Amino acid sequence: MRPYQKNLEELLQNYEQEDPLQGLSTKTATERLASDGPNALVAKKTPNWLLFIRQFNNMIIYILLFATLLTLFLGHYTDAIVISVVIIANAMIGYYQEANAADALAKIKDLLATNATVYRDGIRQDIDATKLVRGDVVFLEAGDQVPADLRLIKTADLRIQESALTGEADAVTKHADALETADLPLAEQANMAFSSTTVVNGSGLGVVVATGEKTELGKISTAVASAKTRPTPLVKEINALGKTVSLCVLGAAVLLFILGFIFETYSLPVLTLAIVTMIVGSIPEGLPATTSVILALGVSDLAKNKNAIVKSLPSAETLGAVDVIATDKTGTLTKNEMTVTDIYIDERHFSVSGSGYAPTGTLFINGEATTEREAKLKELLLAGYFANDTTLTQVDDTWTINGEPTDGAFLTAYHKLMPNKESVQLEKLDLLPFDSFHRYMASLIQLSNGAKKIYLKGAPDKLFNFAQQQDPNFERSFWQAKADHLANQGKRIVALGVIKDADQITELEHEHLENGFTFLGLTGIIDPPRPEVITALREMNKAKVEVKMITGDAPLTAAAIGRQLGLSDGELHTITGVEWDQLTTKEKCEAAVKNQIFARTTPENKLEIIEALQQSGKVTAMTGDGVNDAPALKKADIGVSMGIKGTDAAKEASDMILTDDNFATLATAIKEGRRIYDNIKKSILFLLPTSFAEGLIIFLTILFNQEMPLQATQLLWINLVSAITIQFAFIFEPGASDLMKRPPRKSNSRLISGREMLQLGYVSLLIALVGLGAYELLIATGASATLASTAMVNIIVFSKIFYLFNIRTEESAFSSASFTNKKAFSIILIMILLQMGLTYLPFMQDAFSTTGMQLGEWILTIVCGFSVLAVTELDKFFKLRLARARN
């Protein structure tokens, strides 16, 4: 039997207790502490040194490290230093991001209470909460944080806020009675108090039934620790690309070394240095740095201008690949400001305008505004006002509540519709608070003449029962139809009633509600959808990003709200938590994809839904704010928590925090993620052919037994200065106009398509041939080798500059699209100035073996560079014509 199923006698016997107020003996407590361990959660943290070492676990880095060792061995220390600086810089960037990543377990550990009031050796005393053991009797009162999982054995108006653990918004009224039903969800275990939850009212005694990692909070921490995070789509694609490129370059290097060695093209040291130079020239060492900078500036823009803090760089791009967002409803898709919109009294239907807690609105009957307040309507409003233990206050221009949202709705309705405030003539004598067992709230009221009434509000079926007991002619079917009508509109239904003859009652008991009950009517209450969410969902639907709502609401209510929000362009499919639990693993994958609404779900269902979506090949985002959301947030491809109402555990388990708690911010972030991905892809498509061209020049030179046209330092200049500098232009590239009209890219898609691979190959060959041709032309016309190699360096750099205009936009480079990124021109100007310095400054000439160029060489440089743009633009022209013909 579970602890909540046991009665007091069984419970005390199980933990070897005789008298709860006597408690455990110090000896017994010490023995149990030694066997069970402390009431604490241990967060395992990866050492910083290991985080740093992990940054070198990359194929490109391995090759660069090998190149560094070879250049050191050959005595080329400058080359070795430059390559080493690049390696360390990339490692530092990766380490910084990972060191600042989420530490969910540490934050969950912080949630545990630090002290506990217990009975030991017959004495009530405060002890360190870590020393609690099974069987300890703990005293709770308002304001306390529950220190362990407790089976309550005595309560006095005890209410506990469990939203962070269960996701239920309202505080739960607790009792000490045994519950017969097995396998109850946490939210329905009304005789249990769980670690980390907060006592908001009353007091109670409870026996400790679980400590540390065996508590419900501990189980969540274990789930967080065991949740395996998947590498982001971009990381997977870049890793695959880096591995492919590295293997190709190494293969070519080995083949070339063998050929050079067999045919004795060069001496062994010269051949080795030439091979290293080719490897360094071909390996895109600027790729990690450029990718990191594009991601970092995108992350910075999201934080400064878009109210979204992204904690790890790759997560920013993952947003662009997301095709499913799983989200809770209350407070995320809706305002979490309950509002009375409908009132049914007898045959009459009243509607009320206004939303939220501000008491401004108008009463309508049959669609027409009215200022009349009939007696039964006033009585109903008074019932909602007094059967209530919430307060409504105004701070500056904002109305807020302290208490339950449903109660707040009735306070607002009263202030809207009762301008004369007739409550001043009444005095509240006693209150029966709402609890999950009785599902109603009642208040004993004394009128100014001394007479007493009892006002009730609660679940319709409960009040229908009271009404039928008093009046056999009560039209239950009529009122049930009204309730169903409101439920189909996504509204919460609350019934109200009054007992007018209560003069003899001084202290309210449940038995007092069984006689003299008069049914007043029904109300429909909505949690208004956030207007910005409706707009955001419309945009996400266009972008083919599915949004799935996970809620504890009833299926009818959840479906109605889904329709109001425009959750899907097509038919909405709903599944309940109970139905979900009965499915096989395969069926869960199918159900996760098919259904848009998951109703009556438990916290455990959230993690299972995320796992099922991922197993179906979906790139999934998860939004949440509670401790119970932490495992799902960590498991999702990108976890998104709320910055205002989110718990620390949720924020630390997530990859992104919405500082304004605004779901619509996600649409903006997705758009930014897609822009970041496009720009990273453009930078890769730009970097690879220009890097390969340098390697290809060395390859062809060795193959044809020619003098080296480029020095190693010149290649390093091209790779580590010009390539990275020019690539900064992609950081500022604006998003394409159709960015949010495209479907998300497939999770298994390749970073570079076959068509792009073809372009990569011919551009590499074109730049290499143009450079080698110009070099040979200058040598043939009597130029020195130094002048020819200087011209070749400038030709390669200017080829890059012209090729930049082709890659930047899918439209023609000769259209207005080329002028959308003005910072690109500033970066190009900086690069040209650097090339002037390389060509004409004496110390640069000494360091890089260059010399000054005349007008003729510059004309040749510009013509060669422009030829690369002309060929690639001609290719783009035919590609665009073919695409238009297909459409």
Side-chain angles (χ1 to χ4, degrees), residues 350-351 362-365 367-373 377 417:
F350 299 90
S351 57
T362 305
L363 182 70
F364 294 84
I365 184 167
E368 294 185 6
T370 177
T371 57
E372 293 296 323
R373 302 291 185 267
L377 174 62
L417 306 179

Side-chain angles (χ1 to χ4, degrees), residues 138-271:
V138 176
F139 173 75
L140 299 173
E141 61 183 342
D144 284 352
Q145 195 172 34
V146 180
D149 284 3
L150 312 177
R151 165 63 165 89
L152 297 169
I153 58 176
K154 185 178 181 181
T155 63
D157 294 330
L158 181 65
R159 295 174 68 204
I160 298 180
Q161 176 55 258
E162 299 178 337
S163 60
L165 189 65
T166 66
E168 297 289 338
D170 293 344
V172 180
T173 301
K174 297 293 185 176
H175 60 78
D177 300 331
L179 301 171
E180 296 181 1
T181 308
D183 298 323
L184 282 175
L186 296 185
E188 295 180 22
Q189 295 178 24
N191 59 8
M192 296 287 295
F194 299 106
S195 178
S196 86
T197 59
T198 305
V199 179
V200 296
N201 188 71
S203 61
L205 283 179
V207 176
V208 175
V209 297
T211 61
E213 295 185 354
K214 294 181 180 178
T215 63
E216 294 300 328
L217 182 70
K219 293 174 184 177
I220 288 175
S221 78
T222 303
V224 171
S226 60
K228 301 293 184 182
T229 54
R230 303 197 302 179
T232 68
L234 178 68
V235 169
K236 287 192 290 186
E237 291 169 19
I238 289 182
N239 285 346
L241 177 67
K243 187 175 181 180
T244 302
V245 168
S246 300
L247 291 175
C248 289
V249 170
L250 285 178
V254 170
L255 175 63
L256 198 57
F257 184 83
I258 292 171
L259 292 175
F261 184 77
I262 291 174
F263 295 109
E264 300 182 351
T265 307
Y266 303 98
S267 65
L268 189 59
V270 173
L271 176 63

Side-chain angles (χ1 to χ4, degrees), residues 108 111 162-168 186 196 216-217 220 223-224 328 601-607 622 624-633 647 649-650:
I108 290 178
L111 290 172
E162 299 178 337
S163 60
L165 189 65
T166 66
E168 297 289 338
L186 296 185
S196 86
E216 294 300 328
L217 182 70
I220 288 175
V224 171
D328 60 352
T601 53
T602 63
E604 292 79 9
N605 293 148
K606 294 181 181 180
L607 180 60
M622 167 74 193
D625 53 19
V627 177
N628 61 300
D629 295 321
L633 287 169
T647 60

Side-chain angles (χ1 to χ4, degrees), residues 635-646:
K635 180 66 178 176
D637 294 289
I638 178 162
V640 182
S641 63
M642 303 300 157
I644 299 173
K645 67 177 182 178

Side-chain angles (χ1 to χ4, degrees), residues 3-33:
Y4 62 80
Q5 294 177 278
K6 297 177 181 178
N7 58 37
L8 179 59
E9 184 180 338
E10 292 171 323
L11 193 70
L12 294 178
Q13 183 179 3
N14 190 66
Y15 292 103
E16 300 175 16
Q17 283 269 25
E18 294 182 5
D19 180 3
L21 298 183
Q22 183 68 24
L24 295 176
S25 67
T26 301
K27 180 183 177 184
T28 302
T30 303
E31 290 172 352
R32 290 186 185 176
L33 184 63

Side-chain angles (χ1 to χ4, degrees), residues 294-304 308 310-313 316 676:
I294 292 175
L295 286 168
L297 287 184
V299 165
S300 176
D301 183 57
L302 281 169
K304 290 178 181 177
V310 180
K311 291 161 43 182
S312 64
L313 293 185
I676 289 171

Side-chain angles (χ1 to χ4, degrees), residues 657-713:
I657 301 170
L658 303 182
T659 58
D660 56 357
D661 281 15
N662 188 346
F663 181 83
T665 302
L666 263 179
T668 306
I670 286 172
K671 185 175 182 179
E672 181 66 12
R674 292 186 176 189
R675 185 189 75 84
I676 289 171
Y677 177 80
D678 276 4
N679 290 345
I680 288 174
K681 181 171 181 176
K682 288 174 185 176
S683 71
I684 291 171
L685 290 174
F686 169 79
L687 179 62
L688 289 183
T690 52
S691 289
F692 288 172
E694 298 159 37
L696 195 56
I697 288 170
I698 306 302
F699 184 92
L700 294 173
T701 300
I702 296 173
L703 195 62
F704 292 108
N705 195 18
Q706 300 294 313
E707 288 294 324
M708 283 291 164
L710 293 172
Q711 302 296 319
T713 53

